[in-house]
Amino acid sequence: MYTGIIDHYRKYLPVNDDMPIVSLNEGNTPLIRLNNIPRTLGKEVELYVKFEGANPTGSFKDRGMTMAVSKAVEKGSRAIICASTGNTSAAAAAYAARAGIRCFVLIPDGKIALGKLAQAMMHGSVVIQIQGNFDDGMRLVKEVARQTPVTIVNSINPLRLQGQKTISFEIIDTLGTAPDYHCLPVGNAGNISAHWLGYCEYMEAGLTDSRPVIAGYQAFGAAPFVLGQKVDRPETVATAIRIGDPQSWDKAWQASRESNGWFDRFRDEEILEMQHELAQREGIFCEPASAVSLLGALHDIKKGKIPEGKRVVCTLTGHGLKDPDAAIKQSSAARLKVKPTLDSVRAVILDNMG
Ligand code: F0G
């Protein structure tokens, strides 16, 4: 039986044999080759998505959280805390519930997707909505943890990156080698740093002889890496990456530099269109922030920045079900109301056979 990333990749993680493992069997997510979208590109590429929405709480955060919470428990911590745009809080709440410890989450009031809020509440965390954004929450978490016995489980906790690096291991284990390009969304920048860490460690271990170019994509109104400086009032419909002051700033630049990668940014409308297109044409439902990875990849393939004949992996960081509002807002056309009669239902079917 598969029992999660710590058991599976124990050799590459900072764990002792007697460490209590808090796991929900995270990881082992599907790497799916896209068929329909690349066909219309007019370019020959091998394009894959790593669907992290298939994790137990619906995002990649579970990989890091199993490490951070297991270590917190090992050290005798009774409570964890994080600031979050939603997914970290969902994962923290779930793993704290599993461990039987307290969880405090600071989230931006009114700016997190409904599904994520539901998760944090359902798992019994103490939800503190602050009248500010993620960056304000992050600052407060650091301050409060200095004076209170709580363990921070944001990605400034290095154990989070240790867990999250296993995504790169899985990709190499599945493909037999590293991809040529890896595209992913960037918010607080822990994940891009973790991806690079994973690729580097597998190369050192002799399990791949190459590492991918790392392309990091942001939303237009929350693009500190593209602008080269902090953004004071980040704004985007992709609330997961509505961040102006990324904590892993230096590590992310290092990943980008060492891999000969780049950063770019895209507008909210394009992000939502991409999310919709992926759902409609490939049957994969990711959240808006996740769609920016594929949007960026397709953009750069079309421009030739990613050349033909290459193997490209995009991380789809979270599940579309997290954010039902964003999905329903752009899908109104498909909802029809009819009388409960055979004729009216048949008429709709015949009209819509395509
Ligand atoms: N995609 C999703 C769905 C996310 O939730 C996040 C981050 C990212 C991408 C960006 O990852 O921060 O490591 O660069 N969400 C955090 C949270 C900030 O609080 O859930 P990153």
Side-chain angles (χ1 to χ4, degrees):
M1 179 176 154
Y2 177 84
T3 50
I5 60 126
I6 296 181
D7 274 343
H8 197 73
Y9 290 112
R10 180 175 282 278
K11 226 169 90 183
Y12 303 96
L13 294 169
V15 293
N16 316 317
D17 283 347
D18 52 0
M19 182 177 94
I21 296 178
V22 183
S23 171
L24 292 164
N25 301 2
E26 60 295 311
N28 197 23
T29 55
L31 184 70
I32 307 165
R33 182 156 181 188
L34 298 188
N35 297 323
N36 301 324
I37 290 177
R39 204 174 293 137
T40 49
L41 262 181
K43 304 255 189 180
E44 235 0 275
V45 284
E46 216 178 291
L47 187 54
Y48 297 85
V49 293
K50 180 78 167 157
F51 188 45
E52 291 290 285
N55 273 299
T57 79
S59 88
F60 69 95
K61 305 287 181 179
D62 296 348
R63 294 180 186 274
M65 209 53 75
T66 184
M67 277 298 299
V69 174
S70 296
K71 279 281 180 192
V73 169
E74 185 183 34
K75 291 201 173 128
S77 177
R78 304 277 316 280
I80 58 172
I81 189 168
C82 66
S84 182
T85 57
N87 280 324
T88 300
S89 55
Y95 282 79
R98 182 89 163 152
I101 59 175
R102 301 296 291 164
C103 177
F104 300 92
V105 304
L106 274 71
I107 56 172
D109 188 17
K111 290 288 184 182
I112 87 164
L114 203 61
K116 303 175 188 178
L117 180 61
Q119 288 178 290
M121 292 169 69
M122 196 68 184
H123 291 304
S125 68
V126 177
V127 178
I128 305 168
Q129 307 201 57
I130 54 165
Q131 286 157 353
N133 58 29
F134 170 85
D135 303 308
D136 298 316
M138 199 60 246
R139 179 176 44 78
L140 287 163
V141 160
K142 287 195 273 189
E143 285 172 14
V144 83
R146 262 182 237 127
Q147 309 172 7
T148 327
V150 288
T151 302
I152 299 179
V153 295
N154 280 106
S155 55
I156 56 170
N157 178 335
L159 294 161
R160 281 275 312 280
L161 303 199
Q162 287 295 321
Q164 284 171 213
K165 74 185 180 186
T166 58
I167 188 171
S168 305
F169 297 170
E170 281 179 18
I171 291 165
I172 294 170
D173 287 344
T174 307
L175 294 175
T177 173
D180 300 306
Y181 291 82
H182 194 125
C183 305
L184 79 165
V186 177
N188 206 23
N191 210 25
I192 186 172
S193 312
H195 277 64
W196 187 239
L197 185 63
Y199 283 123
C200 292
E201 287 189 5
Y202 248 31
M203 184 135 121
E204 276 157 33
L207 292 162
T208 172
D209 49 18
S210 68
R211 297 175 301 193
V213 173
I214 306 276
Y217 302 118
Q218 305 206 278
F220 207 87
F225 285 102
V226 180
L227 301 174
Q229 62 184 43
K230 280 188 206 174
V231 172
D232 272 343
R233 272 181 293 279
E235 217 34 270
T236 169
V237 68
T239 51
I241 51 172
R242 188 172 166 270
I243 293 171
D245 183 11
Q247 298 295 305
S248 294
W249 181 259
D250 293 337
K251 286 196 185 77
W253 278 114
Q254 192 187 341
S256 189
R257 217 176 25 247
E258 288 180 5
S259 74
N260 294 314
W262 60 84
F263 294 104
D264 204 348
R265 61 176 176 170
F266 296 92
R267 298 197 177 275
D268 281 0
E269 310 83 70
E270 307 172 88
I271 293 173
L272 291 176
E273 269 169 37
M274 184 78 258
Q275 182 201 17
H276 202 189
E277 188 183 351
L278 181 63
Q280 296 226 317
R281 298 188 55 209
E282 301 279 3
I284 300 166
F285 189 19
C286 69
E287 64 176 287
S290 309
V292 81
S293 62
L294 183 58
L295 179 61
L298 295 175
H299 175 267
D300 288 335
I301 290 165
K302 280 183 207 149
K303 277 201 341 198
K305 200 165 178 179
I306 297 178
E308 284 199 64
K310 297 297 182 188
R311 194 181 255 180
V312 183
V313 173
C314 299
T315 307
L316 296 181
T317 45
H319 204 294
L321 287 171
K322 295 255 189 188
D323 196 349
D325 294 326
I328 288 170
K329 260 187 215 142
Q330 51 175 323
S331 312
S332 54
R335 279 208 283 182
L336 301 161
K337 277 189 188 163
V338 299
K339 293 206 177 74
T341 64
L342 176 60
D343 282 351
S344 47
V345 174
R346 240 186 122 238
V348 171
I349 292 171
L350 294 175
D351 273 358
N352 287 280
M353 285 299 279

